Amino acid sequence: EVHLVESGGGLVQPGRSLRLSCAASRFTFSNYWMTWVRQAPGKGLEWVANIKEDGSAKYYADSVKGRFTISRDNAKNSLYLQMNSLRAEDTALYYCVRDLGFFVFDVWGQGTVVTVSS
Amino acid sequence: QSALTQPPSASGSPGQSVTISCTGTSSDVGGYNYVSWYQQHPGKAPKLIIYEVSKRPSGVPDRFSGSKSDNTASLTVSGLQAEDEADYYCSSWGGEVFGTGTKVTVL
């Protein structure tokens, strides 16, 4: 079964940085766009960023543009999200998601929690 | 981009049908046949249940169906079952946004 496992979440102070990782297995990772989606406590889903199969194109939500960087290592079947200048409003459960294109997400990890607080 | 608009809640008795709307604009829902729906149980990750307006991924029961008219998409759950109680989110190509979410309660 296709599998995505996120890691790297935790408690961080405002203004600090954190790097999330996502390990993919049981599918050809390099054939798919990948996406990060987040969900603040008790709130809805928010698209954060996505990256093309070969990493040559990246797109970001306005709320994170200039602060977050998405990247991937196809040799390691891994997706990353470098989060800088973190704010309280970045507190959320972050999901790693397989992206079929046209904003269709067919495989979701279980998520990793990021809490930004002093 | 603003989130697509969904009713906060919907409910029905077991065996009945419930329909959830998802309203966008001509730039997203109305402009493309790329509306998706996701089901999320408490404490669980979302699950894709409808894509391209009305297609169901393998393993999704045919009790779930989708449709679209102009700028509004709809998800219908027929023959409601207890396990259908969950949050449901729509999304659409063109907006890079999800819907506001609808909590479905099985009475």
Side-chain angles (χ1 to χ4, degrees):
Chain A
E1 185 180 341
V2 173
H3 211 43
L4 296 169
V5 179
E6 302 91 339
S7 61
L11 173 63
V12 62
Q13 293 180 328
R16 304 298 290 266
S17 300
L18 206 59
R19 188 195 197 206
L20 306 184
S21 299
C22 170
S25 59
R26 301 191 180 117
F27 69 98
T28 305
F29 182 72
S30 58
N31 284 356
Y32 292 88
W33 282 72
M34 294 296 295
T35 289
W36 288 98
V37 173
R38 69 184 181 182
Q39 186 170 33
K43 301 297 185 182
L45 303 172
E46 180 186 14
W47 174 80
V48 174
N50 65 358
I51 184 169
K52 194 176 178 181
E53 297 96 325
D54 61 359
S56 62
K58 306 173 185 181
Y59 300 94
Y60 299 91
D62 288 344
S63 58
V64 307
K65 201 172 294 183
R67 300 187 299 121
F68 289 13
T69 301
I70 189 172
S71 62
R72 65 191 296 162
D73 185 337
N74 287 343
K76 295 183 178 179
N77 292 333
S78 293
L79 177 72
Y80 306 100
L81 186 67
Q82 177 66 43
M83 304 185 296
N84 299 331
S85 302
L86 282 161
R87 305 167 179 167
E89 53 264 37
D90 296 319
T91 293
L93 179 61
Y94 284 73
Y95 290 106
C96 168
V97 184
R98 191 170 78 171
D99 187 341
L100 298 183
F102 300 108
F103 218 67
V104 180
F105 309 117
D106 70 329
V107 181
W108 297 65
Q110 285 306 300
T112 187
V113 176
V114 173
T115 303
V116 184
S117 175
S118 54
Chain B
Q1 288 281 1
S2 299
L4 306 175
T5 301
Q6 296 179 233
S9 63
S11 63
S13 300
Q16 290 186 331
S17 294
V18 64
T19 297
I20 304 166
S21 61
C22 169
T23 302
T25 68
S26 59
S27 297
D28 39 62
V29 174
Y32 308 93
N33 287 323
Y34 290 113
V35 175
S36 302
W37 289 90
Y38 301 85
Q39 177 192 60
Q40 186 179 33
H41 288 109
K44 300 294 187 181
K47 173 187 174 184
L48 178 67
I49 57 172
I50 294 287
Y51 66 102
E52 292 181 21
V53 177
S54 59
K55 296 180 181 179
R56 281 177 288 106
S58 174
V60 174
D62 59 8
R63 302 184 294 103
F64 294 90
S65 61
S67 62
K68 192 189 82 165
S69 176
D70 296 326
N71 297 338
T72 297
S74 298
L75 172 72
T76 297
V77 186
S78 305
L80 266 175
Q81 299 182 6
E83 59 261 35
D84 299 332
E85 186 160 295
D87 292 326
Y88 292 83
Y89 295 92
C90 63
S91 71
S92 174
W93 176 248
E96 285 77 49
V97 289
F98 291 91
T100 50
T102 299
K103 181 176 181 59
V104 169
T105 301
V106 181
L107 302 172

